[in-house]
Amino acid sequence: MRAALFVTCVNDALYPRTGVAVVRLLERLGVTVDFPAAQSCCGQPQYNTGHRYETEPLLRRTARAFAGHAHVVTPSGSCAAMLREHYPRIGRKAAEEGRGGELADLAAELAPRVYELTEFLVDVLGVTDVGAYFPHTVTYHPSCHGLRALGLGERPRRLLAAVRGLDLVELPGAEECCGFGGTFALKNPDVSAAMGTDKADRAAATGAEVLCGADNSCLAHLDGLLRRTGSPLRTLHLAEILAATEDEGPPR
Amino acid sequence: MPAFPPFPEAARQAVGDGVLRANLRHATHTIRDKRARAVAELADWDRLRAAGKAVKDHTLRHLDHYLVQLEEAVTAAGGTVHWAVDADEANRIVTALVLATGEREVVKVKSMATQEIGLNEALAAAGIAAYETDLAELIVQLGHDRPSHILVPAIHRNRAEIRDIFRTEMGRWGRPAPEGLGDDPRELAEAARLHLREKFLRAKVAVSGANFMVAETGTLVVFESEGNGRMCLTLPETLISVVGIEKVVPTFRDLEVFLQTLPRSSTAERMNPYTTLWTGTTEGDGPAAFHLVLLDNGRTDTLADATGRQALRCIRCSACLNVCPVYERAGGHAYGSVHPGPIGAILSPQLRGTASAIDASLPYASTLCGACYEVCPVAIDIPEVLVHLRERIAQGGPVTRNGVRVRIRPARGHTAERAAMRAARLLLDHPGALSTATRLLARARRLRPRRLPGPGRAWTDTRELPELPAESFRAWWTRERGTPR
Ligand code: SF4
């Protein structure tokens, strides 16, 4: 099995540990990982802020970078949703506006090959026990795009539940948005922080040591709030927990 | 229309108001949990949702046909139909109709359409007093306040606040509140009942909206919980209904779907306590004169937009408000519109246009979390429309205004953002330059400031910045695996 990693711009620049964890995890499961150099940002920040034209070159770039790869895996529900849900929309609109069908074709060709990490593990590789060891109390926040746009359902929790040593505690109000929302965090900082604070408080009240998620953007927002208040709760991407083993510990 | 501050500003005040946040939190969480249980009882919810969407889409596609059919049916049943292109025209029509009866007061059934056009204010200017009879609307009216929720306009008020409003204000409008009124809900409801009864028995003219209009029979329908609407719809001599043109459905049978989905979505009840249907006039039964004012006010323009038109499917159940985490913190007033919450964020900028600061800020009043789409009983993809409207604001685009197709320019204040987005895209579209940038960033990691200037301040005011890693993923891969393919 081969898979191409779409690491996402946020992970590339700010959370390389997550990318490294995905590589270690997939290789441990017998997957050969490719990392196409031409990849970049998926264009979601631009698209969601209303700058659709600016996303078109990035759609073209992403689709071309991953052409010929049967499985494109990404550790971000939100970027997966961009490639799978919104690229076809952007392509369709470009065609409607008389700018040819190239983007639509590129999007249609790419979309069905895109997998969020937990989908790839559970649906394609057919594993829930990935052989991880992580002796900590963990609570899981399902980010909205993974939850609603992709319908990840129980996949992340099933993967976590199979980790040895891990004590999974339920997060009350788990399905409520953390308030990050991309540029929403900058355009509506007060509401964003209020939502995030409620989420962070509920996570802290579970008594967990680690707040886990599958989208580093949401985690960056929550982590920023937690650290500002000096909370001992730390945030960690799901991939890093799944990559952790008895011998190695979490990757760094 | 008063000038409302843009959403982020209005929301900031609400976020800082502890009582308001507690009131909203309590109310929305209670109703959202009940709704989820009421919906879960129906095994065919998804099919009902699809059916509701299909009925509305079909009607909207053939709206011209069904509206003409409706007009014929209403006329044949003894009613009179008036067409109003905008709020001013609708207000002029209603005012003239009331004045023609010789009356100087009207009782009102809770209606979004009359709020949208500011009817009460227009009537007041003509010397006509309009009395709201819905309990929550009464609270809002007596409190000199604005509604903050579609279904529960006084959701932002708690019991103690309501008691105070009743005590000080009821007497100025009619029967005063009973001596020593407490804040027990039953006591409050009884006070309102006595106050309102006097008005029902006196009123000769009533003004209503409608949840649905049936084209084949000319029947109008109101769903309600308290029965005050039914009093207004049956006791007065003249009934004037102001209804948005999108409220029509083709046949009586189509109501079947909405009779199931609307109450469950809005009040979390299997069936609303009162459903009143009226068709024209009947000798010796109900109002002797019936007028229907069909309101456009931006609806046909909205219909011209292929993505945005789905907002017209809305049946005003308010489920999207109750699940919206942004609404919960910001409150209804922050939306500067009679339609608050997620539906308001997509409806108001379409009905009113995006020229004002508040309307240009509304499509950004969402994290795009998708909870609103998930609960909507007519499957309006609110996040899709939000992004579509953001495009209109950020990069301009075609819109229809008063029936004319025009291209609008990007909204003011978005120039800097456009430049930043373009710069970011240029960088992101050149991975070589991008990796240089991340390398430089990594080298500067020790200089990381605690507070950022410019728009970044919005982040660092409340949150820490992420730690910068020593090397990017790309750099790690190259070090470990050689040049990426
Ligand atoms: S948009 Fe949907 S959920 Fe919101 S009020 Fe309208 S019908 Fe109800």
Side-chain angles (χ1 to χ4, degrees):
Chain A
M1 177 80 71
R2 279 189 100 86
L5 171 63
F6 175 47
V7 79
T8 83
C9 63
V10 166
N11 290 330
D12 184 16
L14 297 175
Y15 297 95
R17 290 172 36 148
T18 297
V20 174
V22 176
V23 174
R24 296 240 165 97
L25 170 66
L26 291 180
E27 288 181 347
R28 194 171 79 217
L29 296 169
V31 177
T32 307
V33 180
D34 295 319
F35 180 66
Q39 65 179 281
S40 175
C41 171
C42 65
Q44 178 170 215
Q46 291 86 342
Y47 179 69
N48 279 351
T49 314
H51 300 270
R52 174 164 52 91
Y53 299 150
E54 294 297 330
T55 66
E56 292 181 357
L58 298 173
L59 186 171
R60 197 174 291 121
R61 163 170 294 283
T62 309
R64 289 198 181 140
F66 289 98
H69 291 276
H71 298 99
V72 179
V73 180
T74 184
S76 161
S78 160
C79 302
M82 179 70 185
L83 269 51
R84 226 154 71 189
E85 307 285 310
H86 300 311
Y87 274 13
R89 257 178 204 170
I90 295 165
R92 236 181 355 256
K93 286 202 178 168
E96 276 165 23
E97 289 164 6
R99 281 179 287 118
E102 189 220 12
L103 287 175
D105 293 343
L106 284 171
E109 220 275 312
L110 173 67
R113 295 182 282 119
V114 175
Y115 298 88
E116 186 275 340
L117 177 66
T118 67
E119 290 176 324
F120 184 72
L121 295 172
V122 176
D123 302 354
V124 180
L125 298 184
V127 289
T128 45
D129 184 350
V130 296
Y133 173 71
F134 191 77
H136 299 282
T137 322
V138 175
T139 193
Y140 176 72
H141 166 58
S143 285
C144 300
H145 291 168
L147 182 73
R148 298 193 186 87
L150 300 178
L152 295 183
E154 287 303 301
R155 290 180 189 86
R157 281 197 197 81
R158 279 169 57 202
L159 287 159
L160 284 172
V163 173
R164 272 182 312 121
L166 188 149
D167 184 12
L168 185 61
V169 291
E170 223 19 73
L171 175 62
E175 301 199 342
E176 191 176 296
C177 179
C178 71
F180 170 63
T183 47
F184 180 83
L186 300 176
K187 285 183 179 277
N188 285 286
D190 301 281
V191 179
S192 172
M195 289 166 67
T197 302
D198 288 350
K199 173 72 63 177
D201 288 350
R202 283 197 300 254
T206 63
E209 298 160 76
V210 173
L211 171 58
C212 167
D215 254 299
N216 273 330
S217 324
C218 305
L219 291 181
H221 160 71
L222 293 170
D223 183 59
L225 287 162
L226 287 165
R227 280 190 296 129
R228 178 61 56 94
T229 55
S231 167
L233 182 64
R234 31 176 215 131
T235 57
L236 201 56
H237 193 283
L238 176 72
E240 296 179 50
I241 293 178
L242 298 182
T245 60
E246 212 144 0
D247 317 327
E248 293 184 43
R252 45 196 78 253
Chain B
M1 182 68 63
F4 292 108
F7 183 84
E9 249 171 67
R12 181 173 315 131
Q13 295 175 11
V15 166
D17 182 341
V19 177
L20 174 70
R21 269 181 75 181
N23 292 352
L24 280 169
R25 191 189 152 72
H26 175 73
T28 56
H29 280 257
T30 309
I31 185 88
R32 85 167 69 153
D33 296 344
K34 276 172 70 186
R35 186 213 73 99
R37 282 197 296 275
V39 163
E41 282 180 0
L42 290 183
D44 59 349
W45 183 258
D46 290 340
R47 290 172 59 201
L48 282 167
R49 188 174 185 243
K53 173 180 187 287
V55 168
K56 283 282 184 174
D57 277 344
H58 168 86
T59 321
L60 290 170
R61 203 155 44 236
H62 306 284
L63 194 60
D64 47 349
H65 167 78
Y66 288 116
L67 286 173
V68 170
Q69 193 188 358
L70 175 77
E71 179 177 33
E72 285 165 7
V74 169
T75 311
T80 311
V81 175
H82 310 259
W83 299 81
V85 75
D86 58 15
D88 283 347
E89 191 173 10
N91 286 332
R92 269 199 309 275
I93 294 169
V94 178
T95 308
L97 288 170
V98 178
L99 291 176
T101 63
E103 293 296 313
R104 286 296 176 273
E105 60 178 31
V106 301
V107 284
K108 284 191 69 208
V109 186
K110 178 177 159 2
S111 133
M112 300 296 296
T114 58
Q115 274 173 29
E116 180 186 318
I117 61 175
L119 179 65
N120 290 8
E121 293 75 11
L123 289 175
I128 301 164
Y131 299 117
E132 295 291 347
T133 64
D134 172 81
L135 179 54
E137 289 290 0
L138 177 71
I139 295 164
V140 169
Q141 188 174 45
L142 293 177
H144 311 283
D145 199 357
R146 286 190 288 129
S148 64
H149 189 276
I150 293 177
L151 186 80
V152 205
I155 195 168
H156 57 292
R157 297 288 200 182
N158 62 35
R159 286 196 264 147
E161 292 173 299
I162 294 167
R163 179 204 53 210
D164 295 344
I165 292 171
F166 279 8
R167 276 187 184 166
T168 52
E169 296 290 330
M170 267 183 174
R172 298 189 200 173
W173 293 75
R175 185 178 170 133
E179 280 297 311
L181 176 68
D183 65 1
D184 176 56
R186 212 170 322 157
E187 254 182 278
L188 292 172
E190 182 61 13
R193 207 173 70 88
L194 294 171
H195 177 81
L196 288 170
R197 164 157 300 199
E198 182 188 72
K199 299 215 153 57
F200 289 133
L201 295 175
R202 201 170 65 201
K204 299 274 186 294
V205 183
V207 175
S208 87
N211 293 91
F212 298 95
M213 306 184 284
V214 180
E216 67 172 356
T217 55
T219 303
L220 274 73
V221 189
V222 157
F223 289 56
E224 54 158 342
S225 296
E226 297 164 6
N228 293 337
R230 179 166 293 180
M231 302 284 271
C232 298
L233 296 165
T234 47
L235 286 176
E237 289 162 13
T238 301
L239 172 59
I240 306 167
S241 301
V242 183
V243 189
I245 52 173
E246 83 282 17
K247 298 270 155 168
V248 67
V249 294
T251 69
F252 211 84
R253 216 187 139 172
D254 294 317
L255 296 176
E256 171 198 339
V257 176
F258 303 111
L259 278 161
Q260 296 179 76
T261 54
L262 180 51
R264 280 177 205 261
S265 301
S266 62
T267 48
E269 292 166 304
R270 295 177 181 136
M271 182 84 223
N272 45 296
Y274 297 85
T275 304
T276 307
L277 301 95
W278 66 102
T279 311
T281 53
T282 307
E283 184 81 48
D285 180 16
F290 169 57
H291 295 274
L292 171 59
V293 181
L294 289 171
L295 177 71
D296 187 318
N297 207 30
R299 286 160 175 78
T300 34
D301 287 344
T302 303
L303 199 56
D305 186 279
T307 305
R309 70 169 64 126
Q310 55 184 311
L312 296 178
R313 290 206 296 262
C314 177
I315 56 174
R316 309 287 191 272
C317 70
S318 70
C320 59
L321 277 62
N322 299 330
V323 296
C324 179
V326 174
Y327 173 88
E328 181 189 326
R329 272 85 186 180
H333 291 157
Y335 294 79
S337 150
V338 295
H339 302 111
I343 182 60
I346 61 168
L347 200 55
S348 306
Q350 294 199 84
L351 295 181
R352 305 194 298 211
T354 48
S356 72
I358 175 72
D359 287 311
S361 72
L362 286 178
Y364 293 96
S366 165
T367 62
L368 307 177
C369 81
C372 49
Y373 178 28
E374 195 173 61
V375 295
C376 178
V378 284
I380 299 172
D381 192 340
I382 294 176
E384 183 192 11
V385 182
L386 286 167
V387 171
H388 174 71
L389 296 174
R390 288 177 187 189
E391 258 177 58
R392 185 177 291 176
I393 289 156
Q395 59 180 38
V399 292
T400 307
R401 280 282 134 214
N402 303 318
V404 184
R405 194 106 173 125
V406 291
R407 247 201 118 69
I408 57 164
R409 295 162 50 76
R412 259 175 315 186
H414 283 253
T415 329
E417 181 183 282
R418 222 164 41 250
M421 287 290 174
R422 187 174 151 76
R425 197 263 295 159
L426 286 171
L427 185 66
L428 294 164
D429 202 14
H430 293 87
L434 180 62
S435 64
T436 310
T438 40
R439 243 192 340 269
L440 289 174
L441 210 61
R443 218 170 284 160
R445 61 204 283 255
R446 287 184 211 300
L447 305 174
R448 195 172 61 98
R450 189 147 191 255
R451 291 214 140 76
L452 289 177
R457 238 196 68 194
W459 182 282
T460 52
D461 270 355
T462 46
R463 291 156 283 211
E464 294 292 314
L465 285 168
E467 303 280 352
L468 281 173
E471 64 178 355
S472 68
F473 176 80
R474 198 177 286 272
W476 173 86
W477 180 279
T478 310
R479 188 163 54 72
E480 291 263 321
R481 311 288 163 104
T483 315
R485 278 154 296 135

